[in-house]
Amino acid sequence: MNDLDSELLEGLFMKQGFNAGSLEEADVAVLVTCCVRETAENRALGRVSRLKKWKEERPGRYIILAGCLAQKESEKLRKNYPYIDYIVGPGNIFDLPVLLKEQEQKTILVDKLNERHKGPIITYRRSSFRASVNITYGCENYCAYCIVPYVRGKLVNRPVDDILQEVQALIRKGVKEITLLGQNVNAYWYKGWKFPDLLKTVARIEGLERVRFVTSHPKDFTDDIIKVMAEEPSVCESLHLPLQSGSNKILQRMGRRYTFEKYQSIVTRIRQYIPDIALSSDFITGFPGEDEEDFEKTRWALESIRYDTAFLFLYNPRPMTRAASLSGQLPYEVKQQRLARLIEIQQQISLQINRQTIGETVSVLVTHPSPRYEEQVVGRTRSDKNVVFEGTPNLIGKLVRVKIREAYPSTLIGVKCANEKVFP
Ligand code: SF4
């Protein structure tokens, strides 16, 4: 979400005549912040402190703090970091480049959270072959641990026509892979269009090779979505479906509005219709009130569902959220130990699943040069796995076929198939 906000801001700034460059050369520093996790918030504040010296080095420099931390802490930020010039919430980022061009002084803009759908269609993207497109903004599920509804506002569905126009414009520019983005894309609704309708329409746009979507919420995940995923060749065989906990008691305390059994039945149906689906999930360990029995249920869920990948976090209380004041807060050590156990199990499962791909030939969209070896490039499979193989930078942005030779928990190593057609 923040990556996309940064990208869209970059496009807007360029439209106003600014250019992206290094911090040393820059006149304007923009920090797009996140406060969903405490560590991200602390990291952002650390960067703001370091930017003070940068600003003092050359008169006329500006510091802009955007994103959900700006929304949450606008007054505190203004008081504690008076050298920040602009504090702009997620609902107002589209106004920023114009404001800066007009040189308005010391502005705080954090009040238009629910108006983002009025934002322009921006086709600038850092990558010329992969792009994310917002379909919703905000969220109103109010999961007990989550700060998003308070800092990103209520759910706003973007008009279908805006989404389709943006996707079509990106495809015309050469984009091959689109990710439809929202806090809970499955809840999309606009004038009778539901998420499966939108997904099917996007999937059928001529020239689009791959489409993904993130994030899904199990309470809104329907068989109609599975049907579109199974029937539309451009919809990738990967799904991120956060479970969060294997214990119904904890799911209820989290306010997630599904049971483990309902979640299991979704997974069973997905695997029935899309046998090669790659599943990923999020889990939180040490949520308030989680006892050993609850944790065992989560461990069992992880082991029995067998995800390709899982993003594992320990519970961290966030201000404004219901969970922060729930009874049964656990010591850090307990949360940490439980997290470590899950990480170990998941590493093994990811390795086992990835090893099963050895010998297979897969389609890879080459994304960037290997940061480690000059003669290698990195790409993504349709199942959203990283593949490293020998290749030259001219392959970047192309679809190639790669035979998998080795597998690790988060990376596959392969060899590009000889005499294969490389898709432009
Ligand atoms: S659905 Fe996701 S974004 Fe919305 S409140 Fe729950 S965890 Fe947060």
Side-chain angles (χ1 to χ4, degrees):
M1 209 68 69
N2 280 350
D3 277 353
L4 180 56
D5 277 355
S6 310
E7 218 176 356
L8 296 180
L9 257 179
E10 201 173 319
L12 283 167
F13 271 106
M14 287 168 87
K15 233 176 157 179
Q16 293 292 324
F18 294 88
N19 287 316
S22 69
L23 192 60
E24 294 73 49
E25 300 163 334
D27 297 315
V28 182
V30 187
L31 266 167
V32 181
T33 60
C34 173
C35 62
V36 171
R37 293 184 208 290
E38 197 180 8
T39 41
E41 181 170 330
N42 292 340
R43 221 175 18 240
L45 291 175
R47 287 204 178 131
V48 176
S49 303
R50 290 197 294 279
L51 281 174
K52 185 169 188 273
K53 193 163 168 274
W54 169 85
K55 186 173 169 167
E56 286 164 356
E57 279 166 5
R58 196 198 300 164
R61 276 179 161 170
Y62 286 89
I63 299 175
I64 296 167
L65 193 128
C68 52
L69 179 59
Q71 185 73 31
K72 174 173 157 266
E73 300 287 3
S74 58
E75 288 306 329
K76 220 176 180 180
L77 285 162
R78 168 168 250 183
K79 198 164 149 253
N80 296 345
Y81 305 88
Y83 52 90
I84 301 178
D85 298 283
Y86 296 87
I87 296 170
V88 183
N92 306 77
I93 61 164
F94 295 134
D95 303 321
L96 189 51
V98 178
L99 277 179
L100 195 65
K101 189 99 180 168
E102 290 168 1
Q103 303 263 308
E104 286 201 17
Q105 293 295 307
K106 301 276 179 191
T107 308
I108 296 186
L109 266 182
V110 288
D111 58 343
K112 291 202 311 200
L113 267 185
N114 297 326
E115 293 188 18
R116 284 194 63 157
H117 58 302
K118 291 184 183 150
I121 291 167
I122 305 160
T123 53
Y124 167 80
R125 290 295 194 273
R126 286 176 191 147
S127 160
S128 57
F129 48 89
R130 287 175 102 193
S132 296
V133 172
N134 278 312
I135 66 164
T136 64
Y137 302 110
C139 181
E140 50 196 55
N141 284 319
Y142 293 95
C143 299
Y145 52 83
C146 181
I147 200 171
V148 166
Y150 306 97
V151 291
R152 287 196 164 253
K154 290 194 168 183
L155 174 72
V156 175
N157 296 291
R158 222 177 144 199
V160 174
D161 285 350
D162 285 11
I163 298 168
L164 297 180
Q165 271 180 43
E166 190 164 313
V167 172
Q168 280 157 346
L170 289 165
I171 295 170
R172 279 197 299 275
K173 286 188 160 184
V175 167
K176 293 184 176 70
E177 182 179 303
I178 293 277
T179 301
L180 302 177
L181 202 65
Q183 303 289 349
N184 172 15
V185 289
N186 309 146
Y188 180 82
W189 190 95
Y190 189 82
K191 294 187 178 171
W193 281 66
K194 294 184 186 155
F195 179 64
D197 307 321
L198 179 68
L199 180 63
K200 193 201 267 183
T201 307
V202 169
R204 291 185 177 181
I205 296 178
E206 211 184 317
L208 185 60
E209 301 277 349
R210 294 176 170 192
V211 56
R212 308 180 186 279
F213 53 90
V214 71
T215 298
S216 289
H217 193 309
K219 83 176 170 59
D220 296 315
F221 200 89
T222 61
D223 284 355
D224 288 346
I225 302 173
I226 301 177
K227 193 165 181 282
V228 176
M229 291 178 75
E231 289 178 357
E232 298 302 325
S234 62
V235 181
C236 290
E237 299 78 19
S238 73
L239 176 68
H240 183 64
L241 193 65
L243 173 58
Q244 307 296 6
S245 171
S247 155
N248 287 339
K249 180 189 101 188
I250 296 299
L251 287 174
Q252 198 183 20
R253 276 172 80 86
M254 287 176 166
R256 292 288 288 173
R257 289 183 273 167
Y258 54 83
T259 59
F260 176 59
E261 291 72 26
K262 151 129 190 188
Y263 184 96
Q264 260 184 323
S265 76
I266 298 172
V267 170
T268 304
R269 287 201 302 284
I270 291 169
R271 286 185 164 150
Q272 182 184 344
Y273 291 100
I274 313 163
D276 51 350
I277 189 87
L279 281 179
S280 63
S281 185
D282 295 336
F283 284 90
I284 298 173
T285 62
F287 187 79
E290 182 190 81
D291 57 26
E292 264 305 317
E293 197 182 322
D294 298 315
F295 174 70
E296 277 306 304
K297 287 179 178 167
T298 298
R299 185 194 57 72
W300 188 82
L302 194 75
E303 286 188 343
S304 61
I305 291 174
R306 292 180 64 78
Y307 296 96
D308 292 67
T309 320
F311 300 93
L312 307 164
F313 306 98
L314 59 76
Y315 171 73
N316 209 310
R318 302 306 291 132
M320 297 190 263
T321 60
R322 266 186 301 125
S325 53
L326 280 178
S327 59
Q329 302 284 335
L330 298 179
Y332 176 80
E333 296 69 37
V334 173
K335 297 191 266 189
Q336 181 61 51
Q337 278 163 15
R338 289 179 184 172
L339 177 68
R341 280 165 68 190
L342 292 192
I343 290 173
E344 202 186 321
I345 293 166
Q346 184 56 44
Q347 287 278 96
Q348 289 302 318
I349 295 171
S350 296
L351 181 62
Q352 287 159 8
I353 291 176
N354 284 350
R355 277 189 178 152
Q356 286 166 7
T357 65
I358 293 176
E360 283 179 11
T361 299
V362 292
S363 160
V364 175
L365 179 59
V366 187
T367 53
H368 58 280
S370 158
R372 293 178 70 183
Y373 300 106
E374 232 174 66
E375 66 284 6
Q376 291 184 337
V377 288
V378 185
R380 303 295 279 187
T381 63
R382 286 176 59 95
S383 56
D384 215 17
K385 293 178 198 268
N386 257 328
V387 182
V388 180
F389 63 98
E390 240 174 62
T392 45
N394 67 322
L395 290 176
I396 292 168
K398 306 215 162 97
L399 282 162
V400 297
R401 299 194 45 89
V402 175
K403 188 163 185 172
I404 304 303
R405 289 279 167 87
E406 285 174 60
Y408 298 93
S410 54
T411 313
L412 305 172
I413 311 285
V415 179
K416 183 175 159 299
C417 296
N419 305 322
E420 274 276 346
K421 184 172 181 234
V422 173
F423 296 92

